[in-house]
Structure formats: C-alpha cells, structure tokens
Amino acid sequence: MVGSLGLDTVQTPFDKVENALGGSAVYISLASSYFGGSVDLVGVVGTDFPSKYIKLLEDHSVDLEGLQIVEGKTFRWAGKYHYDLNVRDTIYTELNVFEKFDPVVPEKFRKAKFICLGNIDPVLQLKVLDQMENPQFVVCDTMNYWIEGKREELIKLLPRANVLIINDSEARLLANEPNLIRAARKIREMGPEILVIKKGEHGALLISDEFIFSAPAYPLEMIYDPTGAGDSFAGGFTGFLHRAQDITPDNLKSAVIYGSSMASFCVEKFSTKGLEDLSYLQIQDRYREFMKLSRFNESE
Amino acid sequence: MVGSLGLDTVQTPFDKVENALGGSAVYISLASSYFGGSVDLVGVVGTDFPSKYIKLLEDHSVDLEGLQIVEGKTFRWAGKYHYDLNVRDTIYTELNVFEKFDPVVPEKFRKAKFICLGNIDPVLQLKVLDQMENPQFVVCDTMNYWIEGKREELIKLLPRANVLIINDSEARLLANEPNLIRAARKIREMGPEILVIKKGEHGALLISDEFIFSAPAYPLEMIYDPTGAGDSFAGGFTGFLHRAQDITPDNLKSAVIYGSSMASFCVEKFSTKGLEDLSYLQIQDRYREFMKLSRFNESE
C-alpha cells in the first residue's frame, strides 16, 4: 500500500490536537493490520517524524522497508471541523518532503497481489502500480482534489483499478451526474469493475456488474474526529479481502462491512487512537452489530 | 388517515404535469390501499376536484365518507425540481378550501385503531386525533414548514404519536442537533417512542428504545418525480402494520421496507401514476429486492 504519512493539526467542536499522527498510509496500515496479512508500506516522511510513530507502525507489524526518511519536514495538514461534523475547512496543507516524493517499491514488496493505492496524487499511484510485478487486485482511493486537479492522470489510472473508492459527492463530480446509480455506471465504464461509494453517516454502497450492496452506517452518538475515516475504510476493506483471498460477491459485501467497522472505530477517538488498540474480536463484534442494524425478516 | 388532497403542477428536468392528482392524503391512501385494510380518508377538496380522481380513490377501496367537498377551489401546489432532484423550489401554494378546513371524522371511522396523520398543519392533526375513540397506534408525518411555523402545536401533538416520520434535515431542525442519532434521542424524549428518519436516496432509519434499524434505498437510475415519496412511505408503513396488527420489532422493520418499497414505486412515475396499478406480488418482489440489497454473511 502507498499513501501519505503526516502530522495533522485537527480542531473539532470537542478538542484540538497538534501534530498528531495522520495521513492516508497510516490509517490504511493500522486498519488493515488487524486482518493478519503483511502490510507493506510505501511512503515518505521527513527527519522530524517522531520515532514513537515509527514504533507504533512497527508494533502493528507494518513493514516499513518502503518508507523513505528524507532530509526536511514531514507533510502537514491542518483542518477544522464545524459543529456539523460533515463540514470541514482546511486551514493549511504543507506538502514538504511529499512534494518531491518519488515512490520506490522495495524488491520484496513487488510480488504483492493485493494493492491499496491510498489517497495521494494519481501520478504517484501510477508510479507505484508500474513497479508491481503482477498485481491481481487493485483498490484505489482518491478525492475531489485529484478529480478536479489531476483528472487526466486519474482517468489513466482507473482502467488499472479493480475497485475505486470515493464518496458520494466525488462520484457525482467525477461522473458529472447527480443520480448516484447512474454516476456509478458511468464511473465503472471508465475502468474499475467495482465502485465503492462512501456516504459517511449514511453508510456505503458497493456497485458491481452483478449486484449492488448497501451497507448501513454505524450509529454513533459521538463522532470525535472524522479524519481518516475513508482511509480506515479502505484499509479494512482491502485487509479483509487479502485475508479472504477470494473476490466473491459475499466476500466483497463482508469487506464493505469490515471497512465500515474500521471507519467507525477510527472516528470514535482523535487521530489514530481509535485504531491503535483493537482486537479482532472487537472488530467481529462490531461486524455483528452492523448485521443487527440491517437484518429484517423475509416477507410473508 | 387525514391529509391534503390537491392538484399539483410539477416540473422536473424530464417532464411537466399540470393539475395532477396530489396531496399527502392521496399518496398515503393509495400506498396503504395495497395492504388489505380499510382506508378511511378524512380531507377536503373544492367543487373543481375532478370526478376521475374521486373514482380513482374509490377504485382503490378508499372510504371517502370523511371527504368534504366544499364550494371553492381545491388546494393547489406547484413545484420545480432541479437537475439534482434533491433540490426543489415551491413555485406557489394556494390553500384555497384547505384554509378553512375543519376536519370531521365520521362516526364509523372513530373506532379505528391505526391512525396515520399525514403531513398537514399539526392543529388539524390534533383535531382529528381528538375525535378518535381509542387510537392505539398513531403515525404522524410532518415537515420543516410546520416545525418552523407551528412548533408549539407540533410539540403538543408529539406525546400522542407512537411514531413520528420526518426526514433527516427536519430531524436536525426539530432537535437543533446535527448528529442524527443524538437528534433522534432528543425527539423521542419529546414524545414518540419511535422515530423514522427518511433519508431519500440514502434509505431510512427507525429508532426505538430497543433497537435501531437501517434500511437501504432502492437504487433507481431514473427518478421521474420525487413528489409524494414521503407520503407513500407513511402509507406503506402504516398499511403494513395495520395488516400485521402486531407492533413487534420485526414488523416495524418490515414496515420500513414496505414503506420504502411504496416510495420507490411512487418516484418511478409522475404524480400518483406509480401507485395506481400495482399488485401485492409486485410489492413483495420489491421487498425481496431490498433484502438482496442489504443482506451479507455472518462473520467467520
């Protein structure tokens, strides 16, 4: 997996943290670390990146051979969430060492079959994918920033992705189509067989040729920090499929629920705290809670 | 059931209809007519109300003894939906005969146990409820217009409702709380044991003391006319519970799916067309499609 590692300054109506661990690669790694496979991370940090964060990732069995530590400052992002946590302002984004990041996939990572391209510049996602020997299942995350700013590069990447994960407003933006189901069809025509649409408090949709799956959201009375929810989803989704090894409709549906479970743990605490000390048992319990939420009886 | 009967002029990006049959009472009646119980309608129209619409309701076994036909013009509403069908402008609202509507529940309706108070002025909803002898299950629909304009009257009504049905933005408005789950708790403290939150293309939530149920939306590529979707939901929801006669968690969940099914049929065609010629078999098929949409496997 590839993505960003950063130091996030986040303010919500409830609290504020400065220079906390963040970045798409971090959330993906932590979320997928609970599914038992090896998590091979490709990314970059500056020399100011705290060693305790390196240790945290190592403690979660994340293989950091693909992590470049280069002279300079680590990527930084600051954001502020409003009373309505669905609205967020970016205060600043400092690319720092990320600006010249040229991802190199270590030799021993290149045979990996399951690839998760975290939310970064599609040019970098392509560079990573080009180094892989025989990728069999490619999950790609992106966001409005790239859809608007690097549309052409993203369009080039899409035919090489098996799954694209985006949120609902991004799906409408990418397809230029307000109806989500029609938007999904248009996007799947751009390349990915499977589209996953994250809808935050409204759950998620998985759309393939054969079926549509609608997953509920976990009903949280208190969301402390929405940062990283989408990345945690991608990590849980890919992690479970890597564990299952078999891309069946049933496993894809379960992967959406495991992804949603990881996202729900993520937003319950600040920064990466919600993903640091979980057990697989807790994750399975949450999976079962999703089932209770959405099960109903056969009709008469 | 009580609600409005009207003549709607509706423009969507796809078509325009003038003076088509509309109103909350009409959608509720038609939707609930498929569940086998008697549908007793209380409402008012002017002498200009086309007899073909009276016949349509009669053909669906709606008992019109509680329908007042008074000198003057029928309630009229005109709306325009934008390219994104989630956005709608009201062009005009003419209350006409509705302005002086004083609902009278016919003697033979007063013993009804299942009451559906369609989306009208809460003062009128209360007047109807006051005439019922022994209401056992009261479903109440409302909207932002009444939450903002008749808050006090609505608050007076809520303790007498078993179920309140509103959409997500209305729930946030009524509770003055952006988190939907916390908003639901606050609203339930105002009276109704059960809250149903309609989320349009994102499905619906039912929240009670014992459980939360999340229902998917039916994935439609083409929504012709969203008018009446919420009323159709209320009609299907109440109609199924009346058929079941037993308010269990399982039946409440099924009622949400039947309500969602009726709403999905409603929006597939203009005006009330989607609710005019259904069979119970078709409705059960759609119910099963909702099940396929949301089922997933037990975890390992």
Side-chain angles (χ1 to χ4, degrees):
Chain A
M1 53 95 17
V2 66
S4 60
L5 297 94
L7 299 173
D8 288 355
T9 295
V10 178
Q11 196 178 340
T12 78
F14 317 113
D15 207 351
K16 184 178 172 168
V17 290
E18 284 185 54
N19 294 320
L21 182 58
S24 57
V26 171
Y27 285 103
I28 293 171
S29 299
L30 292 177
S32 59
S33 72
Y34 293 97
F35 294 87
S38 66
V39 182
D40 304 342
L41 184 149
V42 172
V44 66
V45 292
T47 42
D48 62 344
F49 192 69
S51 58
K52 64 176 175 184
Y53 294 156
I54 298 281
K55 189 170 178 313
L56 175 70
L57 290 168
E58 284 172 347
D59 286 348
H60 284 81
S61 306
V62 180
D63 191 327
L64 298 177
E65 201 182 305
L67 179 64
Q68 302 171 27
I69 303 179
V70 305
E71 203 58 55
K73 284 174 77 184
T74 299
F75 170 74
R76 274 171 171 75
W77 174 81
K80 182 180 169 171
Y81 292 90
H82 293 252
Y83 178 57
D84 175 351
L85 290 166
N86 294 312
V87 185
R88 149 176 126 177
D89 291 331
T90 291
I91 310 293
Y92 61 77
T93 307
E94 290 176 14
L95 287 177
N96 299 330
V97 298
F98 217 85
E99 200 160 1
K100 294 190 174 158
F101 177 42
D102 188 20
V104 178
V105 180
E107 192 59 38
K108 70 174 203 196
F109 288 3
R110 295 190 183 188
K111 290 192 196 311
K113 303 269 181 269
F114 286 76
I115 321 289
C116 185
L117 304 172
N119 176 21
I120 51 171
D121 189 333
V123 175
L124 299 177
Q125 292 176 317
L126 268 167
K127 271 194 179 171
V128 167
L129 201 50
D130 282 339
Q131 295 172 60
M132 303 309 296
E133 287 176 12
N134 184 22
Q136 291 191 348
F137 193 71
V138 179
V139 176
C140 176
D141 194 2
T142 192
M143 71 187 293
N144 52 351
Y145 186 78
W146 309 119
I147 294 170
E148 284 172 327
K150 297 267 175 109
R151 192 180 180 91
E152 219 172 289
E153 291 83 352
L154 182 63
I155 297 284
K156 236 174 89 183
L157 172 64
L158 289 183
R160 297 176 63 185
N162 298 87
V163 181
L164 177 67
I165 301 181
I166 48 179
N167 73 31
D168 48 346
S169 63
E170 289 158 0
R172 291 183 229 267
L173 178 70
L174 179 56
N176 189 26
E177 163 62 55
N179 178 293
L180 215 47
I181 306 303
R182 271 209 306 273
R185 186 154 46 76
K186 278 193 175 183
I187 293 168
R188 292 180 46 248
E189 282 165 8
M190 296 176 188
E193 306 99 87
I194 295 164
L195 181 67
V196 174
I197 300 177
K198 298 169 290 184
K199 306 189 295 177
E201 62 171 351
H202 301 304
L205 282 177
L206 183 144
I207 297 149
S208 78
D209 233 1
E210 299 159 78
F211 68 95
I212 298 181
F213 173 59
S214 173
Y218 189 71
L220 286 166
E221 286 220 13
M222 198 62 183
I223 292 170
Y224 279 92
D225 177 7
T227 312
D231 308 314
S232 304
F233 180 96
F237 179 85
T238 315
F240 173 75
L241 286 172
H242 179 249
R243 181 190 182 97
Q245 288 285 325
D246 197 8
I247 312 299
T248 62
D250 278 343
N251 283 339
L252 284 166
K253 291 174 187 181
S254 290
V256 171
I257 301 298
Y258 279 111
S260 304
S261 299
M262 300 317 292
S264 73
F265 285 122
C266 172
V267 302
E268 281 182 312
K269 294 185 183 167
F270 253 92
S271 177
T272 55
K273 295 280 178 242
L275 298 180
E276 292 178 15
D277 299 301
L278 294 170
S279 68
Y280 198 63
L281 216 65
Q282 275 177 286
I283 296 167
Q284 284 179 298
D285 276 348
R286 181 124 325 167
Y287 184 101
R288 276 187 285 269
E289 289 188 64
F290 274 89
M291 181 160 279
K292 269 195 235 159
L293 257 178
S294 55
R295 273 268 162 132
F296 57 93
N297 275 358
E298 309 268 343
S299 67
E300 311 131 60
Chain B
M1 53 93 20
V2 66
S4 59
L5 296 95
L7 299 173
D8 288 354
T9 295
V10 178
Q11 196 178 340
T12 79
F14 317 112
D15 207 350
K16 184 177 172 169
V17 290
E18 284 184 55
N19 295 320
L21 182 59
S24 57
V26 171
Y27 285 103
I28 293 171
S29 299
L30 292 177
S32 58
S33 71
Y34 292 97
F35 294 87
S38 66
V39 183
D40 304 340
L41 183 148
V42 173
V44 65
V45 293
T47 42
D48 62 345
F49 192 69
S51 57
K52 64 177 174 184
Y53 294 156
I54 298 280
K55 188 171 177 311
L56 175 70
L57 290 168
E58 284 172 345
D59 286 349
H60 283 82
S61 305
V62 179
D63 190 327
L64 298 177
E65 200 181 305
L67 179 65
Q68 302 170 24
I69 303 178
V70 305
E71 202 59 53
K73 284 175 76 184
T74 299
F75 170 73
R76 276 171 169 75
W77 174 80
K80 183 180 170 172
Y81 293 88
H82 293 251
Y83 179 55
D84 176 351
L85 290 166
N86 295 310
V87 185
R88 147 175 127 178
D89 292 331
T90 291
I91 308 295
Y92 61 78
T93 306
E94 290 176 13
L95 287 178
N96 298 331
V97 297
F98 217 83
E99 201 161 2
K100 296 193 173 155
F101 177 42
D102 187 20
V104 178
V105 180
E107 192 58 39
K108 70 174 204 196
F109 288 2
R110 296 190 181 187
K111 290 192 197 311
K113 303 269 180 268
F114 286 75
I115 322 289
C116 185
L117 304 171
N119 176 21
I120 51 170
D121 189 332
V123 174
L124 299 177
Q125 292 176 318
L126 268 168
K127 271 194 180 173
V128 167
L129 201 49
D130 282 340
Q131 295 173 60
M132 302 310 295
E133 286 176 13
N134 184 22
Q136 291 190 347
F137 194 71
V138 179
V139 176
C140 175
D141 195 2
T142 192
M143 72 186 292
N144 52 351
Y145 185 78
W146 309 119
I147 294 170
E148 284 172 326
K150 295 268 174 108
R151 193 181 180 91
E152 218 172 291
E153 291 82 352
L154 183 62
I155 297 285
K156 234 174 89 185
L157 172 63
L158 289 183
R160 298 176 62 185
N162 297 86
V163 180
L164 177 67
I165 301 181
I166 47 180
N167 74 29
D168 48 347
S169 65
E170 289 158 0
R172 291 183 229 266
L173 178 70
L174 179 56
N176 189 26
E177 161 62 54
N179 178 294
L180 216 47
I181 306 302
R182 271 209 306 274
R185 187 155 43 79
K186 278 192 175 183
I187 293 168
R188 291 181 44 249
E189 284 165 6
M190 297 176 188
E193 306 100 87
I194 295 165
L195 180 68
V196 174
I197 300 178
K198 299 168 290 183
K199 306 191 296 177
E201 62 171 352
H202 302 303
L205 283 177
L206 183 143
I207 297 150
S208 79
D209 233 0
E210 301 159 76
F211 69 95
I212 298 181
F213 173 59
S214 173
Y218 188 71
L220 286 167
E221 287 219 12
M222 199 62 183
I223 293 170
Y224 278 91
D225 178 7
T227 312
D231 308 314
S232 305
F233 180 97
F237 180 85
T238 315
F240 173 75
L241 286 172
H242 179 250
R243 182 191 183 95
Q245 287 284 324
D246 197 8
I247 311 301
T248 63
D250 278 343
N251 283 341
L252 284 166
K253 291 174 187 181
S254 290
V256 171
I257 301 298
Y258 278 111
S260 305
S261 299
M262 299 318 292
S264 73
F265 285 121
C266 171
V267 303
E268 282 182 313
K269 294 185 183 168
F270 253 92
S271 176
T272 54
K273 295 279 179 240
L275 299 180
E276 292 178 16
D277 299 301
L278 294 170
S279 67
Y280 199 62
L281 216 65
Q282 275 176 286
I283 296 167
Q284 284 179 298
D285 275 347
R286 181 125 321 168
Y287 184 101
R288 276 187 285 269
E289 290 188 64
F290 274 88
M291 182 161 278
K292 270 196 234 159
L293 258 178
S294 56
R295 274 269 161 131
F296 57 93
N297 275 358
E298 308 268 343
S299 67
E300 309 132 58

Tab-separated table of all heavy atoms in Angstrom, chain A residues 103-136:
chain	number	residue	atom	x	y	z
A	103	PRO	N	8.097	7.508	-5.292
A	103	PRO	CA	7.947	6.238	-4.578
A	103	PRO	C	8.759	5.108	-5.216
A	103	PRO	O	8.740	4.935	-6.438
A	103	PRO	CB	6.450	5.944	-4.672
A	103	PRO	CG	5.948	6.754	-5.815
A	103	PRO	CD	6.829	7.961	-5.902
A	104	VAL	N	9.481	4.400	-4.379
A	104	VAL	CA	10.234	3.231	-4.837
A	104	VAL	C	9.704	2.024	-4.063
A	104	VAL	O	9.708	2.008	-2.831
A	104	VAL	CB	11.746	3.410	-4.564
A	104	VAL	CG1	12.501	2.152	-5.015
A	104	VAL	CG2	12.275	4.645	-5.265
A	105	VAL	N	9.214	1.052	-4.802
A	105	VAL	CA	8.694	-0.152	-4.166
A	105	VAL	C	9.853	-1.121	-3.968
A	105	VAL	O	10.504	-1.531	-4.937
A	105	VAL	CB	7.596	-0.802	-5.035
A	105	VAL	CG1	7.061	-2.068	-4.368
A	105	VAL	CG2	6.469	0.185	-5.308
A	106	PRO	N	10.168	-1.493	-2.716
A	106	PRO	CA	11.264	-2.426	-2.467
A	106	PRO	C	11.030	-3.743	-3.203
A	106	PRO	O	9.877	-4.180	-3.351
A	106	PRO	CB	11.222	-2.645	-0.951
A	106	PRO	CG	10.462	-1.481	-0.400
A	106	PRO	CD	9.500	-1.075	-1.462
A	107	GLU	N	12.126	-4.334	-3.629
A	107	GLU	CA	12.095	-5.603	-4.357
A	107	GLU	C	11.119	-6.615	-3.735
A	107	GLU	O	10.267	-7.186	-4.419
A	107	GLU	CB	13.527	-6.178	-4.358
A	107	GLU	CG	13.743	-7.345	-5.305
A	107	GLU	CD	13.441	-6.997	-6.772
A	107	GLU	OE1	13.765	-5.860	-7.196
A	107	GLU	OE2	12.844	-7.854	-7.464
A	108	LYS	N	11.220	-6.762	-2.414
A	108	LYS	CA	10.426	-7.825	-1.773
A	108	LYS	C	8.928	-7.504	-1.701
A	108	LYS	O	8.133	-8.388	-1.398
A	108	LYS	CB	10.982	-8.151	-0.384
A	108	LYS	CG	10.776	-7.076	0.660
A	108	LYS	CD	11.242	-7.616	2.033
A	108	LYS	CE	10.573	-6.851	3.150
A	108	LYS	NZ	11.146	-6.981	4.455
A	109	PHE	N	8.567	-6.241	-1.966
A	109	PHE	CA	7.132	-5.886	-1.981
A	109	PHE	C	6.499	-6.117	-3.367
A	109	PHE	O	5.280	-6.133	-3.502
A	109	PHE	CB	6.922	-4.389	-1.679
A	109	PHE	CG	7.176	-3.947	-0.258
A	109	PHE	CD1	7.635	-4.828	0.719
A	109	PHE	CD2	6.943	-2.618	0.104
A	109	PHE	CE1	7.871	-4.384	2.023
A	109	PHE	CE2	7.169	-2.177	1.402
A	109	PHE	CZ	7.635	-3.061	2.359
A	110	ARG	N	7.355	-6.276	-4.389
A	110	ARG	CA	6.834	-6.166	-5.756
A	110	ARG	C	5.956	-7.327	-6.210
A	110	ARG	O	5.278	-7.252	-7.225
A	110	ARG	CB	8.003	-5.989	-6.747
A	110	ARG	CG	8.727	-4.681	-6.505
A	110	ARG	CD	9.722	-4.326	-7.572
A	110	ARG	NE	10.384	-3.072	-7.174
A	110	ARG	CZ	11.197	-2.392	-7.943
A	110	ARG	NH1	11.487	-2.834	-9.159
A	110	ARG	NH2	11.737	-1.265	-7.505
A	111	LYS	N	6.030	-8.418	-5.461
A	111	LYS	CA	5.209	-9.572	-5.830
A	111	LYS	C	3.824	-9.527	-5.186
A	111	LYS	O	3.011	-10.431	-5.405
A	111	LYS	CB	5.913	-10.868	-5.405
A	111	LYS	CG	7.162	-11.179	-6.227
A	111	LYS	CD	7.632	-12.601	-5.963
A	111	LYS	CE	9.067	-12.825	-6.439
A	111	LYS	NZ	9.318	-12.358	-7.819
A	112	ALA	N	3.573	-8.485	-4.379
A	112	ALA	CA	2.278	-8.401	-3.675
A	112	ALA	C	1.128	-8.474	-4.676
A	112	ALA	O	1.194	-7.920	-5.773
A	112	ALA	CB	2.193	-7.107	-2.871
A	113	LYS	N	0.063	-9.191	-4.286
A	113	LYS	CA	-1.083	-9.368	-5.185
A	113	LYS	C	-2.196	-8.359	-4.890
A	113	LYS	O	-2.956	-7.993	-5.768
A	113	LYS	CB	-1.661	-10.801	-5.017
A	113	LYS	CG	-0.647	-11.914	-5.270
A	113	LYS	CD	-0.653	-12.338	-6.719
A	113	LYS	CE	0.347	-13.456	-6.975
A	113	LYS	NZ	1.679	-12.923	-7.373
A	114	PHE	N	-2.308	-7.989	-3.628
A	114	PHE	CA	-3.348	-7.047	-3.227
A	114	PHE	C	-2.723	-5.674	-2.998
A	114	PHE	O	-1.870	-5.521	-2.128
A	114	PHE	CB	-4.040	-7.521	-1.941
A	114	PHE	CG	-4.963	-8.674	-2.164
A	114	PHE	CD1	-4.464	-9.962	-2.361
A	114	PHE	CD2	-6.333	-8.491	-2.199
A	114	PHE	CE1	-5.312	-11.033	-2.581
A	114	PHE	CE2	-7.196	-9.564	-2.419
A	114	PHE	CZ	-6.681	-10.837	-2.620
A	115	ILE	N	-3.170	-4.703	-3.779
A	115	ILE	CA	-2.566	-3.374	-3.721
A	115	ILE	C	-3.623	-2.381	-3.266
A	115	ILE	O	-4.740	-2.375	-3.801
A	115	ILE	CB	-2.089	-2.914	-5.126
A	115	ILE	CG1	-1.485	-4.081	-5.914
A	115	ILE	CG2	-1.175	-1.706	-5.034
A	115	ILE	CD1	-0.183	-4.559	-5.429
A	116	CYS	N	-3.263	-1.536	-2.307
A	116	CYS	CA	-4.160	-0.454	-1.918
A	116	CYS	C	-3.468	0.871	-2.189
A	116	CYS	O	-2.468	1.214	-1.549
A	116	CYS	CB	-4.541	-0.582	-0.451
A	116	CYS	SG	-5.754	0.655	0.061
A	117	LEU	N	-3.983	1.584	-3.186
A	117	LEU	CA	-3.428	2.891	-3.535
A	117	LEU	C	-4.195	3.945	-2.740
A	117	LEU	O	-5.305	4.325	-3.105
A	117	LEU	CB	-3.562	3.140	-5.040
A	117	LEU	CG	-2.923	2.077	-5.949
A	117	LEU	CD1	-3.300	2.329	-7.416
A	117	LEU	CD2	-1.397	2.060	-5.782
A	118	GLY	N	-3.589	4.384	-1.637
A	118	GLY	CA	-4.238	5.375	-0.770
A	118	GLY	C	-4.355	6.717	-1.477
A	118	GLY	O	-3.765	6.950	-2.538
A	119	ASN	N	-5.123	7.578	-0.844
A	119	ASN	CA	-5.458	8.865	-1.441
A	119	ASN	C	-4.257	9.812	-1.517
A	119	ASN	O	-3.958	10.544	-0.579
A	119	ASN	CB	-6.589	9.476	-0.590
A	119	ASN	CG	-6.966	10.847	-1.056
A	119	ASN	OD1	-6.707	11.245	-2.188
A	119	ASN	ND2	-7.575	11.602	-0.150
A	120	ILE	N	-3.554	9.747	-2.663
A	120	ILE	CA	-2.471	10.694	-2.995
A	120	ILE	C	-2.586	11.006	-4.486
A	120	ILE	O	-3.456	10.459	-5.172
A	120	ILE	CB	-1.052	10.124	-2.693
A	120	ILE	CG1	-0.886	8.731	-3.327
A	120	ILE	CG2	-0.795	10.060	-1.190
A	120	ILE	CD1	0.539	8.199	-3.272
A	121	ASP	N	-1.720	11.845	-4.972
A	121	ASP	CA	-1.649	12.210	-6.385
A	121	ASP	C	-1.701	10.957	-7.278
A	121	ASP	O	-0.895	10.045	-7.104
A	121	ASP	CB	-0.332	12.975	-6.603
A	121	ASP	CG	-0.237	13.599	-7.983
A	121	ASP	OD1	-0.862	13.080	-8.937
A	121	ASP	OD2	0.484	14.607	-8.112
A	122	PRO	N	-2.640	10.905	-8.227
A	122	PRO	CA	-2.729	9.716	-9.091
A	122	PRO	C	-1.435	9.434	-9.866
A	122	PRO	O	-1.191	8.280	-10.255
A	122	PRO	CB	-3.896	10.042	-10.038
A	122	PRO	CG	-4.216	11.478	-9.847
A	122	PRO	CD	-3.718	11.870	-8.494
A	123	VAL	N	-0.604	10.447	-10.077
A	123	VAL	CA	0.690	10.232	-10.734
A	123	VAL	C	1.547	9.294	-9.887
A	123	VAL	O	2.198	8.372	-10.406
A	123	VAL	CB	1.414	11.585	-10.946
A	123	VAL	CG1	2.813	11.374	-11.501
A	123	VAL	CG2	0.591	12.490	-11.866
A	124	LEU	N	1.515	9.524	-8.581
A	124	LEU	CA	2.285	8.674	-7.665
A	124	LEU	C	1.652	7.284	-7.545
A	124	LEU	O	2.359	6.272	-7.481
A	124	LEU	CB	2.372	9.324	-6.277
A	124	LEU	CG	3.064	10.695	-6.219
A	124	LEU	CD1	3.019	11.255	-4.804
A	124	LEU	CD2	4.514	10.579	-6.697
A	125	GLN	N	0.326	7.243	-7.559
A	125	GLN	CA	-0.357	5.940	-7.514
A	125	GLN	C	0.055	5.101	-8.726
A	125	GLN	O	0.349	3.910	-8.600
A	125	GLN	CB	-1.878	6.139	-7.481
A	125	GLN	CG	-2.388	6.781	-6.178
A	125	GLN	CD	-3.893	7.058	-6.214
A	125	GLN	OE1	-4.421	7.529	-7.217
A	125	GLN	NE2	-4.583	6.794	-5.107
A	126	LEU	N	0.113	5.747	-9.890
A	126	LEU	CA	0.522	5.054	-11.122
A	126	LEU	C	1.969	4.576	-11.028
A	126	LEU	O	2.300	3.461	-11.453
A	126	LEU	CB	0.368	5.982	-12.331
A	126	LEU	CG	-0.964	5.913	-13.069
A	126	LEU	CD1	-1.122	7.080	-14.030
A	126	LEU	CD2	-1.121	4.582	-13.814
A	127	LYS	N	2.829	5.427	-10.480
A	127	LYS	CA	4.245	5.060	-10.351
A	127	LYS	C	4.414	3.805	-9.513
A	127	LYS	O	5.259	2.958	-9.801
A	127	LYS	CB	5.021	6.207	-9.686
A	127	LYS	CG	5.558	7.227	-10.683
A	127	LYS	CD	6.592	8.120	-10.010
A	127	LYS	CE	7.142	9.123	-11.027
A	127	LYS	NZ	7.989	10.135	-10.385
A	128	VAL	N	3.637	3.707	-8.444
A	128	VAL	CA	3.710	2.521	-7.588
A	128	VAL	C	3.196	1.295	-8.342
A	128	VAL	O	3.849	0.250	-8.384
A	128	VAL	CB	2.901	2.743	-6.287
A	128	VAL	CG1	2.700	1.429	-5.533
A	128	VAL	CG2	3.602	3.766	-5.407
A	129	LEU	N	2.065	1.466	-8.973
A	129	LEU	CA	1.460	0.347	-9.686
A	129	LEU	C	2.388	-0.174	-10.787
A	129	LEU	O	2.483	-1.393	-11.022
A	129	LEU	CB	0.123	0.810	-10.282
A	129	LEU	CG	-0.904	-0.251	-10.647
A	129	LEU	CD1	-1.128	-1.234	-9.509
A	129	LEU	CD2	-2.223	0.407	-11.039
A	130	ASP	N	3.100	0.742	-11.443
A	130	ASP	CA	4.028	0.363	-12.521
A	130	ASP	C	5.167	-0.526	-12.023
A	130	ASP	O	5.770	-1.258	-12.803
A	130	ASP	CB	4.621	1.618	-13.177
A	130	ASP	CG	3.634	2.271	-14.134
A	130	ASP	OD1	2.700	1.574	-14.581
A	130	ASP	OD2	3.792	3.477	-14.426
A	131	GLN	N	5.459	-0.425	-10.743
A	131	GLN	CA	6.571	-1.209	-10.197
A	131	GLN	C	6.139	-2.598	-9.726
A	131	GLN	O	6.982	-3.423	-9.381
A	131	GLN	CB	7.227	-0.449	-9.031
A	131	GLN	CG	7.892	0.854	-9.487
A	131	GLN	CD	8.373	1.695	-8.298
A	131	GLN	OE1	9.205	1.251	-7.511
A	131	GLN	NE2	7.841	2.899	-8.167
A	132	MET	N	4.854	-2.828	-9.702
A	132	MET	CA	4.378	-4.113	-9.206
A	132	MET	C	4.469	-5.157	-10.318
A	132	MET	O	4.167	-4.866	-11.476
A	132	MET	CB	2.933	-4.001	-8.712
A	132	MET	CG	2.709	-2.958	-7.633
A	132	MET	SD	3.842	-3.079	-6.217
A	132	MET	CE	3.374	-4.676	-5.549
A	133	GLU	N	4.858	-6.379	-9.937
A	133	GLU	CA	5.082	-7.413	-10.951
A	133	GLU	C	3.792	-8.010	-11.486
A	133	GLU	O	3.644	-8.211	-12.684
A	133	GLU	CB	5.970	-8.517	-10.364
A	133	GLU	CG	7.410	-8.043	-10.237
A	133	GLU	CD	8.303	-9.077	-9.574
A	133	GLU	OE1	7.878	-10.248	-9.421
A	133	GLU	OE2	9.427	-8.705	-9.194
A	134	ASN	N	2.883	-8.298	-10.575
A	134	ASN	CA	1.683	-9.000	-11.019
A	134	ASN	C	0.502	-8.667	-10.109
A	134	ASN	O	-0.036	-9.528	-9.422
A	134	ASN	CB	1.959	-10.510	-11.040
A	134	ASN	CG	0.796	-11.300	-11.582
A	134	ASN	OD1	-0.056	-10.765	-12.305
A	134	ASN	ND2	0.720	-12.572	-11.214
A	135	PRO	N	0.120	-7.386	-10.092
A	135	PRO	CA	-0.974	-7.010	-9.179
A	135	PRO	C	-2.258	-7.711	-9.597
A	135	PRO	O	-2.591	-7.735	-10.780
A	135	PRO	CB	-1.095	-5.499	-9.366
A	135	PRO	CG	-0.496	-5.223	-10.708
A	135	PRO	CD	0.570	-6.266	-10.928
A	136	GLN	N	-2.949	-8.317	-8.626
A	136	GLN	CA	-4.169	-9.036	-9.002
A	136	GLN	C	-5.432	-8.331	-8.550
A	136	GLN	O	-6.487	-8.521	-9.132
A	136	GLN	CB	-4.114	-10.462	-8.442
A	136	GLN	CG	-3.052	-11.255	-9.177
A	136	GLN	CD	-3.124	-12.721	-8.871
A	136	GLN	OE1	-3.806	-13.158	-7.952
A	136	GLN	NE2	-2.395	-13.504	-9.659
